[in-house]
Amino acid sequence: MNKAQRTRKRKIAAALMPPLLAACALFGLTTGSVSIPLREIGAVLLHGSSSEHAVILLEVRLPRVLIGLLTGACLAASGAILQGIMRNPLADPGIIGVSAGGGLAAVIALVLLPQWSYLLPPAAFVGAFAAALLIYGLSWDRGASPVKIVLAGVAVNALLGAVMNGIMVFHSDRIQAVIPWLSGGLNGRSWKHLGFMLPYALLGLALTALAVKPANLLALGDQSAKLLGQRVELQRMLLLALAALLAGAAVSVAGLVGFVGLVVPHAVRLLIGEDYRYLLPVSAFAGGALVVVADTIARSWFDPVELPVGILLACVGAPFFLYLLKKRSHWR
Amino acid sequence: MTAIETNELRLTAGVFRLSGVSITVPVGQITAIVGPNGSGKSTLLKLIAGLLAPGGGSIVIHGKPLAGYKRAELARELSMLPQSGETLPELTVRELAAYGRSPYHGPFSRRLNAEDEQAIDWALERMNLRRHEDRMARTLSGGERQRALIAMALAQKTGILLLDEPTTYLDIAHQLDLMRVLSGLNREYGLTIVMVLHDLQQAAAFCGHLIAVKEGAVVARGAPQAVITPHFLKAVYDIDAKVRFDEAYPLIIPLLRPEL
């Protein structure tokens, strides 16, 4: 890719993202066990209506689509940041245990403090950040080696999963609330859930603007970034916190949705390069679009069964992960 | 006047030790650090650049203790070309050089001002990269890549430039090219240059000051013509050789020991 090609691709991507997102959102609004034509959506959104379709649209599909958008955007941005700071293309909040940390904290909150459900996002953030710190600390040896991060992540992931299952076994009477959430889906998510995650998601996404420069400099390598006057350890810690905030916001409502943070930034990198000025916003848009489309497919194609979107995404994402592993075997 | 002064610098990392290294690097000169592989040359450079923390002793840069510098402040006094290794991100040569302006900006601001642009132009100009400035850095040859990274360091507009084996992976034409560019910078701008070299001839021809390190300790220092002697070669590299100077270039002729 030369400079002219890169500029053209960036322009195309930037111009395409908003319409793509809008198209995906409309696909999500129109499709389902009852299809609602576009025309009617326009009428309902503009003039209001109390028809059955309007209720489905406003009470079920619209919040769900919005949650899908935010979830995808947060996970993709989180993945893009994690890949940058860990200098590891395999980093994804789902794979390296950040989501699991958030998940465990959320399960604890759901099971032990069910009446305080608005505490889910902060709890998930704390859990995700703690897991991220743990993984980072375990793999730290004068710099966090990519391979160690993944290995530590796998181990932490397994441990957190075990603790999560343990809690559910001991509190089997209360897991009804947890099960649908765990499988990583948007079934039954409503305006209430959107309200939980919205402030955290928006804050996280807004802060990604500040992550651009440090992330770009870290991409030169720790040594070079230090020589350019950057406080590498501090910046990495702050970026880690941001990635945890984003992953936590997503996990707190959508549960354990994996691979979005892996697949999306990768695809975007291939298309427009690694500059975080473009990588972060385009990944966020594309992640939102992907989750909405995947969720719509997952809930409509297998009618009457609603497949949790996490399952569908894993079916696409896991082979992609393996493909990456195979294609680039030279990672240190 | 001294640009860099180290005092009884110590470091233990695994089996490797740096034991009480005291050196002074004169301002406005080119200093070469030579020595066998694994002698601690690169380690010494990394300590001076603040990339490693010493186990003891002190480092003074331009009259101020290294520990007293903030990272960004240090990056305005001292820049460094690390040993090649890291793969470059997908950037143009100019964008890479522009990163050299980071120490002059906060962690978040991204706008380059006129002074920045001027420094970047100058750095690219000096490294003969103006016509390549819009090329992607990854497509550069080894020699061009090295020059692009040096341009980034130059854009930092520091008084001291450290280079860790800048010529090791270059062919002789590119080596000489680079050495000429560096001595030009030293002559015209009084840039203090410290480089780790393996090539004693280049060290002698281009550097006014030479420091030899062996097993984590300084074993010789001074003007290259005075320092590079048969005794020196025996002491530092454990080779028996004759040395003759042809102008500034030492001819090192090994005395081959008969095979046993």
Side-chain angles (χ1 to χ4, degrees), chain A residues 1 6 87 213 223 273-274, chain B residues 82 86 95 106 136 138:
Chain A
M1 172 151 57
R6 192 188 62 179
R87 307 208 69 212
K213 193 178 170 189
Q223 202 167 251
E274 299 162 56
Chain B
E86 301 280 2
E95 285 164 344
M136 302 308 286
R138 276 182 188 169

Side-chain angles (χ1 to χ4, degrees), chain B residues 169-187:
Chain B
Y169 297 102
L170 305 182
D171 64 49
I172 186 156
H174 284 100
Q175 288 185 10
L176 289 174
D177 225 32
L178 184 60
M179 295 305 274
R180 250 181 249 124
V181 170
L182 291 173
S183 45
L185 282 164
N186 166 257
R187 229 177 15 253

Side-chain angles (χ1 to χ4, degrees), chain B residues 3 25-31 62 76-79 122 126-127 150 153-163 181-194:
Chain B
V25 171
V27 154
Q29 279 204 41
I30 303 184
T31 299
H62 282 155
R76 294 191 289 263
E77 294 291 327
L78 177 152
S79 55
W122 172 79
R126 295 303 311 188
M127 299 317 293
I150 296 175
L154 286 183
Q156 286 175 247
K157 285 279 190 177
T158 58
I160 302 172
L161 173 62
L162 311 180
L163 303 110
V181 170
L182 291 173
S183 45
L185 282 164
N186 166 257
R187 229 177 15 253
E188 290 168 48
Y189 302 95
L191 183 64
T192 303
I193 297 175
V194 183

Side-chain angles (χ1 to χ4, degrees), chain B residues 41-60:
Chain B
K41 308 179 297 282
S42 293
T43 307
L44 181 56
L45 222 54
K46 283 183 185 167
L47 283 166
I48 293 169
L51 294 175
L52 291 177
S58 65
I59 301 168
V60 177

Side-chain angles (χ1 to χ4, degrees), chain A residues 1-3 6 87 209-210 212-214 216-217 219-221 223-224 226-231 235 273-274 277, chain B residues 46 49 51 71-72 75 80 82 86 89-90 92 95 99-100 102-103 105-110 134 136 138 156:
Chain A
M1 172 151 57
N2 65 33
K3 194 186 179 192
R6 192 188 62 179
R87 307 208 69 212
L210 298 181
V212 167
K213 193 178 170 189
N216 271 338
L217 282 163
L220 293 173
Q223 202 167 251
S224 297
K226 275 184 194 169
L227 289 168
L228 291 169
Q230 306 302 305
R231 296 165 73 186
Q235 289 178 354
E274 299 162 56
R277 275 179 299 171
Chain B
K46 283 183 185 167
L51 294 175
R71 270 262 169 239
M80 174 171 164
E86 301 280 2
E90 207 155 54
T92 67
E95 285 164 344
Y99 277 139
S102 309
H105 296 275
F108 306 123
S109 81
R110 282 176 256 151
D134 284 338
M136 302 308 286
R138 276 182 188 169
Q156 286 175 247

